[in-house]
Structures are given as C-alpha cells and as structure tokens.
Amino acid sequence: MGQGPLNGVRIVEFAGIGPGPFCGMLLSDLGADVIRIDRPGDGRPGRPADVMGRGRRSIGLNLKDPADVEVALKLLEKADGLIEGYRPGVMERNGLGPDDALKRNPKLVYGRMTGWGQHGSLSHSAGHDLNYIAITGALHAMGEGDGRPRPPLNLVGDYGGGALYLAMGMLAGILNVKNGGEGQVIDVAMSDGAASLATMFYGMKAAGIWTDDREANLLDGGAHFYDTYECSDGKWVSIGSIEPQFYAILREKAGLTDPAFDAQMDRSKWPELKQKIMDVIKTKTRDEWCEIMEGTDICFAPVLSMSEAPTYKHNADRETFVEIEGVMQPAPAPRFSATPGAIQGRPAGLGEHTDEILKDWDVSR
C-alpha cells in the first residue's frame, strides 16, 4: 500500500515521455498505486537517474496483441483512473479508447494529455512545449526587450500546463466519482493549460497595466526592482522588491540614496534606475550580498545552480531534495501533516513487475 493521501487510489499509466511520466510520479508520490504499462522489456532494472519513473511498478504488455489488450482492459476494470499521452486516435486503434474503457468500467476517469488537445486544427500535428506556449501569448511575453522571445525551460507547457493540469483533472474526476458521479474523459491540452496559467497577465492587459512589449512590464524584467543582477564574481542574485515597504529596505541595504529612486513606479525611469542598480550590485560578490540582504524583507534570494540548490540552507532545512542511490532529486510536494507522501520505490525496469501486478490486481492472462 502506498504512503500518502492517495493511498488506495489505483491508476494505470500508459508509458510515454515527459509530462505523462511526471504526472504519474506526482500521483505516486502522494500514495496512489500507479502501474505503468510498458512494452515487454529485457529484464534489466530501472536506472536510478530516471527520476520521473520513480514509485511505479511496470507491467509488460504488447498492445498489438489482442490478448494483452484484454489484460489491459481487465486492469482498467479495477482502476480509478487512466493516464495516456498519445496522439488522438492511437488508443482507439488499440481497442483501449474511452468507449472501450468506460464500457468496462463506467466509473473510470480517463485522462488524456496532448500538446494541442483532442480536437482543433492542430490536434493531429506534432509539437513540443515551445510550440504549445507560442500560441497562448506566454512565449511572446518572455525575453529581452530588444531581442527574440526566449525559450524557457519546458516548465510552462509540458509540466505546468500539462502534467499539473492532468493531475488536478484526475483528482477532480476521481472525487466526483467518490461523490456519486460517473466516470468521464479529461481532455488536457498543454496549450490550454499554458493559456490558463497566463490568466493574471490577460487581466493586467485588460486593465491597461501590461503591454505586449517584452521587458517593459512589472514582472518580465522591465522594472528595476524586479529582476536578476550580476555580482562581481559573475554569480547572480534575484530582487523582487515590489511593495513600497520592501523597496525601502532595498534602498537602505543597497545604499540607493539617489532621489531618482523615489519614482519607483515611473516606467520611463526604469531603464535608468536599472542601470544604477546593476552598477551597485556589481561592486560585491554574491556571498557578500547574501550577507547583507538574505533573510530581510527585500524579497531577495541568490540565483542557485542545480548543483548548488540541494545544499542551500533553506532547502536543507525543509529537506526539499533527497538523494537516492546516488541521485539527487526533488522530494515529494506538497506536504501533508497527517498523510505525508513519499517516494514509493526506485524506477522500474520495463515489465519488471508483470507477475506481481497481475497477482495484486487479481487479473488473469
């Protein structure tokens, strides 16, 4: 049995890449029994560095074989949810589409995640995170003011707009079933999710306080008090002193006595004031600025690399990262006071737990 608030929930994950496995990891970390359907493997155990594969068991099924498709359907009869990330029509062609699955289990929550969604003019086209966020306005808003839009890490589309919305949708659907509702299909498009994540900025644009110009707005690096700055040692710090009381502490700690800084919200002054702050921050190392600003209400933090982050004191205090089999990785989140989640096990090899899963789920071949 899994440890966490989803203990007792059963999920069937059809193997994929990127956001699909990440959603499976999230549900497993919270205690769900997530089994992954893989192609039959060669018996080798999973690699410890396959962090997103942690916590699930793997069953090897050949979905081109009708007998194995029948095994998959029998598993779905006993499942609370299914997650898959194939192009529209793939599951249907394998005899595992929503009609087939919900006929076997009317209470099943059928989670489908693709970049463009199950319908729409692009739904059958290939794409990646960058493309999905490109049509939402989010990508256009990121980058330097006089340059091209800059690709962010694929956190906005794949993981924020995709995996997290799928996890939320799955849990909402399962809760609906627990409250007496029927099973249903959850259509998660990463483009939809990325657009949803941009809701605040669309509101700000409608209110006239956000423009389509890059690096010209409050939260896109346009403001001198909300940006990253290079230190004398080539390392960086982040400053987010938006509120007047926090901005006052920034001025005090950084010695920004120039009266020009009084005009905090005068956008016409932002480029000039940013240059002044750049010059000041460049006079000390990152550690020296941490000594001055860290722990104050400036809204300050050092910009850490992935090599540095796990040993940073705050992260260590909260045990934000854990090391398993020599691999440093983020710990389960969020935290639960009564039913804490946990990493349920190491990454599985392809088909490693086939017999064990069939026995546990009481399914015969």
Side-chain angles (χ1 to χ4, degrees):
M1 301 293 285
Q3 175 185 330
L6 297 183
N7 181 23
V9 172
R10 286 180 161 183
I11 303 290
V12 175
E13 171 191 346
F14 284 79
I17 60 173
F22 185 67
C23 181
M25 183 202 81
L26 293 174
L27 298 175
S28 170
D29 282 353
L30 297 185
D33 180 8
V34 183
I35 61 169
R36 189 181 69 228
I37 294 181
D38 287 306
R39 293 191 180 93
D42 56 11
R44 289 183 296 178
R47 299 172 301 166
D50 179 23
V51 176
M52 288 197 302
R54 71 192 190 194
R56 281 100 81 204
R57 295 180 293 173
S58 169
I59 180 172
L61 296 178
N62 177 8
L63 297 182
K64 303 296 184 184
D65 182 342
D68 277 5
V69 170
E70 177 61 23
V71 172
L73 288 169
K74 288 181 179 180
L75 292 169
L76 295 178
E77 289 175 2
K78 299 174 181 291
D80 297 291
L82 170 160
I83 57 178
E84 61 98 356
Y86 305 133
R87 288 199 199 192
V90 170
M91 291 289 280
E92 284 84 350
R93 289 195 293 275
N94 285 333
L96 292 163
D99 290 345
D100 301 295
L102 288 165
K103 182 178 180 181
R104 289 295 201 55
N105 180 1
K107 298 293 186 181
L108 183 71
V109 178
Y110 195 111
R112 321 194 78 172
M113 176 171 53
T114 60
W116 308 113
Q118 296 298 309
H119 70 274
S121 58
L122 295 174
S123 61
H124 288 274
S125 302
H128 277 298
D129 176 286
L130 189 67
N131 312 122
Y132 310 141
I133 69 174
I135 68 168
T136 68
L139 179 59
H140 184 276
M142 292 182 278
E144 296 180 357
D146 58 354
R148 67 184 188 274
R150 301 294 301 183
L153 296 179
N154 59 327
L155 301 175
V156 181
D158 283 353
Y159 299 112
L164 286 171
Y165 276 76
L166 177 58
M168 178 177 67
M170 294 298 296
L171 297 180
I174 291 170
L175 181 60
N176 178 64
V177 169
K178 300 292 186 186
N179 288 334
E182 292 298 307
Q184 59 187 305
V185 177
I186 313 296
D187 176 6
V188 178
M190 297 173 207
S191 55
D192 291 349
S196 178
L197 290 171
T199 297
M200 181 181 78
F201 301 101
Y202 274 91
M204 294 172 75
K205 188 173 187 298
I209 56 177
W210 192 275
T211 75
D212 278 337
D213 296 328
R214 285 186 290 280
E215 204 175 17
N217 298 285
L218 182 66
L219 301 173
D220 66 354
H224 60 287
F225 49 84
Y226 195 90
D227 207 349
T228 56
Y229 290 96
E230 188 177 13
C231 305
S232 64
D233 56 359
K235 297 180 180 179
W236 295 75
V237 296
S238 66
I239 293 173
S241 309
I242 298 175
E243 293 80 0
Q245 66 272 29
F246 302 154
Y247 184 69
I249 303 172
L250 169 65
R251 293 187 62 183
E252 173 194 343
K253 296 291 186 181
L256 306 177
T257 58
D258 187 333
F261 284 101
D262 292 346
Q264 180 187 0
M265 292 298 176
D266 184 345
R267 290 175 181 245
S268 68
K269 301 287 181 62
W270 285 358
E272 172 193 348
L273 297 177
K274 179 175 289 191
Q275 185 61 54
K276 290 178 182 290
I277 294 183
M278 288 173 62
D279 293 341
V280 170
I281 299 299
K282 217 41 184 316
T283 64
K284 299 182 187 297
T285 67
R286 189 182 71 182
D287 286 349
E288 288 173 327
W289 283 119
C290 285
E291 186 68 27
I292 294 169
M293 295 184 174
E294 206 166 30
T296 72
D297 279 350
I298 286 173
C299 301
F300 166 93
V303 178
L304 303 175
S305 69
M306 285 189 284
S307 298
E308 296 173 308
T311 58
Y312 182 65
K313 186 177 186 307
H314 179 78
N315 293 335
D317 291 343
R318 290 185 58 79
E319 299 180 328
T320 301
F321 295 87
V322 295
E323 185 173 347
I324 299 176
E325 295 187 54
V327 176
M328 188 64 71
Q329 56 196 277
R335 313 293 178 87
F336 292 80
S337 62
T339 56
I343 296 173
Q344 311 295 330
R346 62 173 177 77
L350 302 183
E352 181 180 347
H353 304 100
T354 298
D355 293 338
E356 178 183 313
I357 289 170
L358 293 174
K359 180 180 178 181
D360 285 354
W361 284 47
D362 192 23
V363 168
S364 59
R365 301 198 82 136

